Amino acid sequence: MATPSSPLIILLLLVSIFASHYSDAYPLSTHKKWIIDDATGQRAKLACGNWAGHLKPMIPEGLDRRPLKEIVGELVELKFNCVRLTYAIYMWTRYGNGNVNATFASLDAPKVVEGIAKHNPSVLAKTHIQVFEDVVHELGAQNVKVLLDNHVSEPKWCCNDDDENGFFHDRHFDPKEWVHGLTLAAKHSSGNHAVVAMSLRNELHGPRQNLRDWYMYMSEGALAIHKENPNVLVVISGLNYDTEFQFLKSKSLTIDLGKKMVYETHLYSWSGIGTLKLKGIWTKQPLNRICANNIRGIDQRAGFLTTGENARPLIFTEFGFNEEGTSVEDNRFLTCLQTYLVGRDMDWGLWAFHSSYYVKHDQVQVDETFGVIDETWHHLRDPNFTAKFQLLQRKNHEPTSKAPLVNILYYPLSGQCVQVNDKNELELGSCENKNRWVHGGKGTQILLDGTKKCLTAAGEGHPVVVSDDCHSKNSSWKSESLSKLHLATVDQHGKQLCLEKDSNSSSIVTSKCICINDDSLCLDDPRSQWFQPVPTNV
């Protein structure tokens, strides 16, 4: 028997060490409210796009529009590092061996079949599960993490209160079959490191909801996943379309998943919380009040999970807006929600990445106006998307960092951040700029980090500058209005002024404050004056 050479011995040793480390290591785990990459010990922030695969065809959308590799490449180019990939339980328990071509034949969708044959011809001869395998493999090959989401049991559009898919013991929600489906999905993904998380169920809803069944079956489903695949995070959803967890304040969910338990919550402009469910609320009441109530409601119903000694990660796995920009309610809702997600540096999932459906409500090739890319699957539906989401996709807090916390000054209406130009004036630009700010609190200076210069108002309508004049009244700033999103000072005559983006340029000026008092008759849009100090140590 020949003796291995020294280089070969070293190579074998390295392979052995690598294999032993990663065979037992969990790709992601939890530490307090953060999701951690065990390989590095640092935080892994999930910025996910939702990609639907739970409707009647039971394969991820868009394979009739572009080659799979290009679709995933589009995700990567748009800086999503994660996909929430939705599936139906019946795909595993009833249609596991079902053929994709046969399914489309039953759906009478020849245009879809023609598109798949052109762009991804191998798909038609495969089973639905095999196509999911291919998609997950390609996501992993391009370094995109996967959160497998059990969206429904019966393959269909989700959700409404009478869809018979909403809660345990509904017609299409048999707990035993559900646990069996979760088990099969967990077992199937156990060898694939691209799959870093699995959810229990999307948006529990309907008249059968009760806490006894929630505690019992959530525990059973979570343990079933963890037993088959202890590497994945287990994502637990709440009640009432995943807006409510407040019942956990009096009775926690006590199951042993190690450092693998995370929670998820959802919100849209129309779903709301409490009184915010009123139709058109985002245009019928003062926006500062509605935004403040919205954020307070999120914290009361779900955000509290990220606080205290037993803090857990909370992923905002679904929110969305009409990407065509035609909904005033959606636009206002989104700007408000962005301040919550950025302020708490949350992990999230946007509905949706995909831009169309093969079949939805028995209609073929249906457009998704909430889709990031347009109906061609080649262009952004909202041309400002990249700028709007840049700070949401950035990791702003690293729990292992010893760097001091300073602030990025964020302008949520456009998604841009404040920077200082060569005239020492403030303007909006990329959030990758290195300007950071230190604010001591109400009525104090906002200092440019690393200098003795401060933010100073030059008068109504004039550009704001950084100057050495840091002891005058117009260099003292405080957060105003119920939303706390207005930064206000006073001029030399004592008139209150707020930061505002100039309507004709990227410059930042001071102007008369818009609706900072809680006046029910003040319905003007104040978002041009919303500026948010976002703490960062990255």
Side-chain angles (χ1 to χ4, degrees), residues 156-181:
K156 66 184 299 183
W157 178 252
C158 177
C159 309
N160 58 69
D161 276 352
D162 59 359
D163 61 14
E164 300 181 312
N165 255 276
F167 201 72
F168 306 107
H169 301 295
D170 278 357
R171 180 183 177 190
H172 292 290
F173 202 162
D174 174 64
K176 289 184 179 179
E177 186 171 7
W178 171 71
V179 170
H180 182 49

Side-chain angles (χ1 to χ4, degrees), residues 156-416:
K156 66 184 299 183
W157 178 252
C158 177
C159 309
N160 58 69
D161 276 352
D162 59 359
D163 61 14
E164 300 181 312
N165 255 276
F167 201 72
F168 306 107
H169 301 295
D170 278 357
R171 180 183 177 190
H172 292 290
F173 202 162
D174 174 64
K176 289 184 179 179
E177 186 171 7
W178 171 71
V179 170
H180 182 49
L182 293 178
T183 301
L184 292 172
K187 185 175 182 179
H188 202 79
S189 64
S190 61
N192 192 328
H193 282 193
V195 179
V196 298
M198 289 184 61
S199 79
L200 293 178
R201 186 67 165 208
N202 173 72
E203 293 193 358
L204 295 166
H205 58 276
R208 291 186 188 271
Q209 292 180 96
N210 67 86
L211 290 179
R212 177 183 174 276
D213 283 352
W214 187 89
Y215 281 100
M216 178 169 62
Y217 293 124
M218 282 284 134
S219 298
E220 188 175 342
L223 290 170
I225 289 175
H226 189 64
K227 179 180 178 181
E228 287 296 337
N229 188 351
N231 286 335
V232 295
L233 301 173
V234 179
V235 184
I236 296 169
S237 57
L239 298 176
N240 289 330
Y241 296 91
D242 216 350
T243 62
E244 296 187 3
F245 277 110
Q246 69 272 29
F247 50 88
L248 290 175
K249 295 176 183 177
S250 56
K251 181 182 177 182
S252 61
L253 184 64
T254 54
I255 48 178
D256 185 8
L257 303 180
K259 295 183 178 181
K260 294 295 178 180
M261 183 189 293
V262 302
Y263 292 91
E264 65 176 331
T265 191
H266 296 175
L267 200 64
Y268 291 89
S269 64
W270 64 83
S271 56
I273 296 172
T275 59
L276 298 179
K277 292 181 182 179
L278 297 174
K279 187 176 181 180
I281 195 74
W282 289 94
T283 57
K284 293 179 179 178
Q285 289 193 19
L287 188 53
N288 283 312
R289 180 197 299 174
I290 293 305
C291 184
N293 288 345
N294 193 65
I295 287 175
R296 184 167 56 251
I298 296 169
D299 272 337
Q300 289 173 347
R301 302 296 182 99
F304 71 90
L305 291 166
T306 65
T307 63
E309 293 183 3
N310 297 316
R312 300 275 190 180
L314 176 69
I315 309 176
F316 226 106
T317 50
E318 263 193 52
F319 68 98
F321 64 106
N322 188 320
E323 298 264 358
E324 295 176 333
T326 56
S327 170
V328 175
E329 290 86 357
D330 277 358
N331 293 340
R332 291 183 171 191
F333 161 79
L334 177 69
T335 311
C336 175
L337 184 61
Q338 283 176 217
T339 68
Y340 184 87
L341 297 175
V342 167
R344 289 155 178 78
D345 201 18
M346 293 188 73
D347 304 79
W348 52 269
L350 177 70
W351 190 277
F353 164 70
H354 59 273
S355 65
S356 63
Y357 301 95
Y358 306 118
V359 179
K360 178 183 174 185
H361 300 316
D362 297 324
Q363 293 184 315
V364 177
Q365 292 187 322
V366 179
D367 193 23
E368 171 56 274
T369 59
F370 279 44
V372 172
I373 46 180
D374 67 11
E375 65 276 5
T376 69
W377 284 75
H378 281 83
H379 308 289
L380 284 172
R381 199 175 292 266
D382 176 1
N384 298 315
F385 174 84
T386 303
K388 192 177 292 184
F389 275 73
Q390 60 180 307
L391 198 58
L392 275 78
Q393 291 175 315
R394 182 184 186 275
K395 179 172 68 172
N396 295 312
H397 189 91
E398 171 54 59
T400 64
S401 174
K402 295 181 180 179
L405 282 172
V406 289
N407 292 304
I408 298 170
L409 200 49
Y410 175 55
Y411 185 66
L413 184 58
S414 69
Q416 296 171 294

Side-chain angles (χ1 to χ4, degrees), residues 8-116:
L8 181 58
I9 292 173
I10 294 171
L11 176 62
L12 291 172
L13 181 61
L14 289 172
V15 169
S16 174
I17 293 172
F18 181 89
S20 65
H21 178 73
Y22 283 95
S23 62
D24 295 325
Y26 302 150
L28 299 179
S29 62
T30 65
H31 175 67
K32 298 181 180 179
K33 70 174 184 176
W34 307 113
I35 294 172
I36 302 297
D37 182 342
D38 278 2
T40 64
Q42 295 185 328
R43 182 182 170 212
K45 180 177 179 177
L46 300 180
C48 308
N50 277 271
W51 189 354
H54 65 276
L55 280 76
K56 287 183 178 180
M58 291 177 286
I59 61 171
E61 306 290 344
L63 300 179
D64 60 333
R65 304 300 181 96
R66 289 183 78 175
L68 173 59
K69 187 173 183 178
E70 290 185 12
I71 295 175
V72 177
E74 191 79 38
L75 269 160
V76 174
E77 187 174 338
L78 292 173
K79 298 184 179 179
F80 290 102
N81 64 14
C82 161
V83 160
R84 182 176 181 249
L85 190 62
T86 71
Y87 70 89
I89 284 290
Y90 289 178
M91 182 185 75
W92 294 97
T93 60
R94 302 188 183 188
Y95 307 117
N97 296 317
N99 171 263
V100 171
N101 196 35
T103 296
F104 276 113
S106 70
L107 295 172
D108 190 22
K111 288 185 178 179
V112 174
V113 173
E114 182 181 333
I116 294 175

